[in-house]
Amino acid sequence: MSEDSEKEDYSDRTISDEDESDEDTFMKFVNEDIHQCALLTADSISDPFFPGTTQILLEYQLGRWVPRLREPRDLYGVSSSGPLSPTRWPYHCEVIDEKIEHIDWTPLNPEPMYIPTGLEMEPLYANSKEETVVYLAEDAYKEPCFVYSRVGGNRTPLKQPVDNCDDTLMFEARFESGNLQKVVKVAEYEYQLTVRPDLFTNKHTQWYYFQVTNTQAGIVYRFTIINFTKPASLYNRGMRPLFYSEKEASAHNIGWQRIGDQIKYYRNNQGQDRHHHFSLTWTFQFPHSKDTCYFAHCYPYTYTNLQEYLSGINNDPVRSKFCKIRVLCHTIARNMVYILTITTPLKNSESRKRKAVILTARVHPGETNSSWIMKGFLDYILGNSSDAKLLRDTFVFKVVPMLNPDGVIVGNYRCSLAGRDLNRNYTSLLKESFPSVWYTRNMIRRLMEKREVILYCDLHGHSKKENIFMYGCDGSDRCKALYLQQRIFPLMLSKNCPDKFSFSSCKFNIQKSKEGTGRVVMWKMGIRNSFTMEATFCGSTLGNKRGTHFNTKDLESMGYHFCDSLLDYCDPDRTKYYQCLRELEEMEKHINLEKVIDDSDTSLKEITLDLETSSHASDSSESNDSQTDLLKLNSQIKTKKIQLKTKKERNSTIARHQNIREEEQEIQGLLYQMTVYLIISEDSSLTKQKYLDESLLGF
């Protein structure tokens, strides 16, 4: 049963039978002469007063016939009796028949970021009529806008790339999520590449994913992508391209790995109309000759990958009991947007008391790291651990794992086939143009009518900053408690994974240009914990992972840390909640202190440095912004995060740590008080009496 209908209530019926009709009223229609078989459909009864429907089943239980609604048919695309629902492409897109698959693999050792030598080249290419074009995808420009879709795309015979008559590399990207527009051979082992903008737009050139064959081992090749549009890039901060070799996968079980030398991201001379383009260049030696290899911006995760994952859940007799998969809507290309409802099934009114948590991902199709975080979350929440069971017993999870399957299929970076950014259109009334975000918003609105939604989180990737962090909404126009409360969950998350999640990178505001995002719209609808989680395409600057790339297991682990932090946040014992609240209050005091000290020409940074020389160093990420300095200062008075796994362990360790925390806070408070007092007392513009009157000490 599809959830396209506005009248259908898909927020609760996916799990419980709490909306069943009264059995006694219904049973008067049942003919007493019916044989006591195990199961009947309502339309098999000849009584004219009996509802003529095949959607009501009668089960004989304990001497009586009990009616219930028929379970939905095999769910679109996740049928247990047949193949997956085929992907639909714009009719003019050329698509190869070969199915691209990659193995899952985690490097044994962390993959370090690239360290520039200062000798990297900046190739600049002049347009030449004699250039050798070895790959050209012209199909993307046959239509100015989306017209209609077909399974498999263009049915005409495909144009083949240049014949394999020499040592020229062969390129291909006409497969799911692939992106490559043009390749020019500029030297014997040097290639100039152009990535395709999002379909039906002329911008958003960031995502690339393509195949290379006819390789030669031991040769230094240079690849240069010439039409990026962002001035800043993580490639200039140590990020390396991703590489996959089919021979390495089959022979050594090695999957995606970070590669490349002489990596440089720079402005080139290819721009027009005063719009500059930027190039990414790198060199590389293939490990095998005659190999089939791939390069990508981030770890690919396709629509087919999602369907296969959901099919595994649907066919699992255990997980399918507490995870119901439905179709939220269809995209404009008629691909399906799935919604998962995860909770322990109950057949009574108790289930209505459960609060809801909402997660969404891949509204931007090129941000594949968000799908790996989503996979980690689903792996954990559907697992058999005591914490996972506790979460399912406590909450109703509504999960939309891929909001923009059309964009994912065709290899877009940011837009849907409407040529628009869906994450700027949550306020739009154009259901036909933006169906996935329209139905998501409508589903959440209906859900909020039945139960409290305690948290909404939309998963994204970030192309300019390291680490993982969150964007929240500014509650400064509300009471102070709400202003600080929305920062508690991100702070808890930073304590649970201090080597990946950076609280100092989190921001809480609402820009005019972001008012159409899911985060802001849900916050204005009344969800006070409304976040965007941003995961870098690169790696970490924190703790033990400092200077290394994130792999898929690192991203998946954020799904577990999300669940762990949710248990911390909702722990009946509020000790850790109030501990975080106190830390946030201290941060606010330090912000106010900074303002006062700036007025007296004394820098808060000097105070921070003085304190750091007399105490342990902070684990905060290095940054010059004031928020990071405040976190460094706060690290001198905050207590260590209590790493707890289950509710029982949480409750058993709180008491014995309480006295330690109080003693540490008292000592650090006295140290801070003495340092601030000495510095400010030297400034004649602030008298001791004014210092005391304004309660700058805060202790």
Side-chain angles (χ1 to χ4, degrees), residues 207-364:
W207 168 256
Y208 61 88
Y209 173 32
F210 57 88
Q211 180 189 89
V212 180
T213 57
N214 199 35
T215 62
Q216 294 185 72
I219 300 295
V220 178
Y221 291 90
R222 178 177 290 276
F223 302 93
T224 304
I225 302 175
I226 65 169
N227 66 326
F228 289 123
T229 56
K230 292 187 176 182
S233 173
L234 288 169
Y235 287 109
N236 268 347
R237 301 174 70 91
M239 179 172 162
R240 297 174 184 259
L242 278 164
F243 169 77
Y244 185 96
S245 162
E246 289 192 354
K247 287 190 175 182
E248 286 288 291
S250 61
H252 306 294
N253 201 39
I254 294 176
W256 287 101
Q257 51 189 316
R258 299 284 179 172
I259 56 86
D261 291 309
Q262 299 187 41
I263 302 170
K264 185 69 178 291
Y265 188 91
Y266 58 96
R267 191 173 79 175
N268 60 39
N269 58 355
Q270 302 296 319
Q272 297 178 354
D273 300 328
R274 287 185 283 184
H275 294 292
H276 290 284
H277 284 171
F278 298 83
S279 291
L280 168 66
T281 188
W282 74 93
T283 61
F284 179 65
Q285 297 184 49
F286 292 100
H288 303 282
S289 296
K290 304 302 179 181
D291 194 3
T292 298
C293 303
Y294 299 85
F295 291 98
H297 179 60
C298 190
Y299 303 97
Y301 193 97
T302 66
Y303 184 57
T304 298
N305 292 148
L306 173 66
Q307 287 191 308
E308 291 173 344
Y309 184 87
L310 297 182
S311 181
I313 296 173
N314 192 59
N315 296 334
D316 188 321
V318 176
R319 293 184 295 171
S320 60
K321 290 181 179 179
F322 47 76
C323 177
K324 300 301 182 182
I325 306 170
R326 299 292 182 266
V327 176
L328 177 66
C329 63
H330 289 79
T331 65
I332 61 177
R334 302 303 295 165
N335 290 300
M336 289 167 245
V337 179
Y338 298 101
I339 181 170
L340 284 60
T341 303
I342 303 170
T343 194
T344 302
L346 286 177
K347 293 190 176 182
N348 53 52
S349 59
E350 289 297 318
S351 65
R352 289 186 177 273
K353 298 179 181 179
R354 295 179 182 174
K355 298 179 181 180
V357 177
I358 300 167
L359 271 82
T360 61
R362 288 301 281 280
V363 69
H364 294 151

Side-chain angles (χ1 to χ4, degrees), residues 299-483:
Y299 303 97
Y301 193 97
T302 66
Y303 184 57
T304 298
N305 292 148
L306 173 66
Q307 287 191 308
E308 291 173 344
Y309 184 87
L310 297 182
S311 181
I313 296 173
N314 192 59
N315 296 334
D316 188 321
V318 176
R319 293 184 295 171
S320 60
K321 290 181 179 179
F322 47 76
C323 177
K324 300 301 182 182
I325 306 170
R326 299 292 182 266
V327 176
L328 177 66
C329 63
H330 289 79
T331 65
I332 61 177
R334 302 303 295 165
N335 290 300
M336 289 167 245
V337 179
Y338 298 101
I339 181 170
L340 284 60
T341 303
I342 303 170
T343 194
T344 302
L346 286 177
K347 293 190 176 182
N348 53 52
S349 59
E350 289 297 318
S351 65
R352 289 186 177 273
K353 298 179 181 179
R354 295 179 182 174
K355 298 179 181 180
V357 177
I358 300 167
L359 271 82
T360 61
R362 288 301 281 280
V363 69
H364 294 151
E367 296 171 2
T368 59
N369 40 7
S370 68
S371 280
W372 290 103
I373 296 177
M374 177 63 77
K375 179 181 180 298
F377 166 79
L378 292 174
D379 285 345
Y380 186 78
I381 199 66
L382 299 177
N384 57 7
S385 69
S386 57
D387 272 6
K389 185 179 183 301
L390 177 61
L391 286 166
R392 296 194 299 265
D393 291 344
T394 308
F395 301 107
V396 175
F397 292 91
K398 291 289 186 178
V399 180
V400 185
M402 190 172 286
L403 281 162
N404 191 353
D406 289 352
V408 171
I409 290 169
V410 302
N412 278 4
Y413 174 65
R414 196 169 186 87
C415 297
S416 70
L417 292 183
R420 301 285 293 277
D421 183 345
L422 293 179
N423 201 36
R424 298 296 184 273
N425 285 280
Y426 272 90
T427 58
S428 175
L429 301 178
L430 301 177
K431 179 171 62 174
E432 292 76 15
S433 297
F434 315 114
S436 61
V437 296
W438 191 95
Y439 279 101
T440 297
R441 182 191 64 198
N442 193 53
M443 177 272 293
I444 295 173
R445 178 181 59 80
R446 287 176 172 270
L447 183 63
M448 293 176 69
E449 294 173 356
K450 288 199 167 188
R451 61 180 80 249
E452 179 185 353
V453 178
I454 65 165
L455 190 145
Y456 163 90
C457 186
D458 188 23
L459 306 180
H460 284 254
H462 204 280
S463 65
K464 296 181 181 180
K465 296 170 66 174
E466 295 95 340
N467 306 314
I468 300 171
F469 51 94
M470 279 181 161
Y471 292 143
C473 297
D474 185 7
S476 57
D477 57 336
R478 303 184 180 185
C479 67
K480 181 180 179 181
L482 290 178
Y483 174 77

Side-chain angles (χ1 to χ4, degrees), residues 634-649:
N634 179 63
S635 69
Q636 310 309 316
I637 62 173
K638 74 180 183 181
T639 62
K640 293 183 178 180
K641 169 67 174 68
I642 308 172
Q643 297 294 338
L644 301 171
K645 299 301 180 184
T646 66
K647 185 177 179 180
K648 181 179 179 180
E649 291 172 336

Side-chain angles (χ1 to χ4, degrees), residues 374-615:
M374 177 63 77
K375 179 181 180 298
F377 166 79
L378 292 174
D379 285 345
Y380 186 78
I381 199 66
L382 299 177
N384 57 7
S385 69
S386 57
D387 272 6
K389 185 179 183 301
L390 177 61
L391 286 166
R392 296 194 299 265
D393 291 344
T394 308
F395 301 107
V396 175
F397 292 91
K398 291 289 186 178
V399 180
V400 185
M402 190 172 286
L403 281 162
N404 191 353
D406 289 352
V408 171
I409 290 169
V410 302
N412 278 4
Y413 174 65
R414 196 169 186 87
C415 297
S416 70
L417 292 183
R420 301 285 293 277
D421 183 345
L422 293 179
N423 201 36
R424 298 296 184 273
N425 285 280
Y426 272 90
T427 58
S428 175
L429 301 178
L430 301 177
K431 179 171 62 174
E432 292 76 15
S433 297
F434 315 114
S436 61
V437 296
W438 191 95
Y439 279 101
T440 297
R441 182 191 64 198
N442 193 53
M443 177 272 293
I444 295 173
R445 178 181 59 80
R446 287 176 172 270
L447 183 63
M448 293 176 69
E449 294 173 356
K450 288 199 167 188
R451 61 180 80 249
E452 179 185 353
V453 178
I454 65 165
L455 190 145
Y456 163 90
C457 186
D458 188 23
L459 306 180
H460 284 254
H462 204 280
S463 65
K464 296 181 181 180
K465 296 170 66 174
E466 295 95 340
N467 306 314
I468 300 171
F469 51 94
M470 279 181 161
Y471 292 143
C473 297
D474 185 7
S476 57
D477 57 336
R478 303 184 180 185
C479 67
K480 181 180 179 181
L482 290 178
Y483 174 77
L484 295 178
Q485 184 267 348
Q486 62 188 345
R487 290 159 168 78
I488 292 177
F489 183 81
L491 183 58
M492 287 181 169
L493 197 53
S494 71
K495 292 173 177 291
N496 281 331
C497 47
D499 58 350
K500 301 184 189 74
F501 191 93
S502 170
F503 185 75
S504 65
S505 296
C506 296
K507 294 183 179 180
F508 302 86
N509 54 41
I510 300 176
Q511 298 173 310
K512 184 70 175 178
S513 61
K514 304 296 178 65
E515 291 184 348
T517 62
R519 164 178 61 95
V520 175
V521 170
M522 303 312 159
W523 184 74
K524 289 184 176 180
M525 285 171 56
I527 303 176
R528 56 189 180 183
N529 288 308
S530 184
F531 304 110
T532 297
M533 181 186 288
E534 298 277 358
T536 181
F537 286 109
C538 186
S540 176
T541 63
L542 306 171
N544 294 331
K545 288 195 171 296
R546 183 184 183 92
T548 63
H549 289 86
F550 287 149
N551 55 49
T552 55
K553 292 304 178 185
D554 291 324
L555 296 170
E556 290 177 22
S557 71
M558 286 304 303
Y560 157 72
H561 291 305
F562 181 93
C563 294
D564 190 36
S565 301
L566 187 60
L567 281 175
D568 279 345
Y569 184 79
C570 299
D571 192 343
D573 187 308
R574 307 301 281 167
T575 301
K576 282 169 285 184
Y577 182 96
Y578 290 120
Q579 171 191 334
C580 289
L581 188 61
R582 286 193 297 270
E583 292 182 16
L584 291 167
E585 288 174 343
E586 291 301 324
M587 293 181 195
E588 288 299 302
K589 291 179 181 179
H590 298 324
I591 290 175
N592 295 332
L593 175 62
E594 182 186 32
K595 294 178 180 178
V596 173
I597 295 177
D598 284 343
D599 291 340
S600 62
D601 297 327
T602 304
S603 171
L604 177 63
K605 193 170 184 179
E606 295 174 1
I607 299 177
T608 305
L609 293 174
D610 288 341
L611 284 176
E612 286 179 339
T613 60
S614 59
S615 185

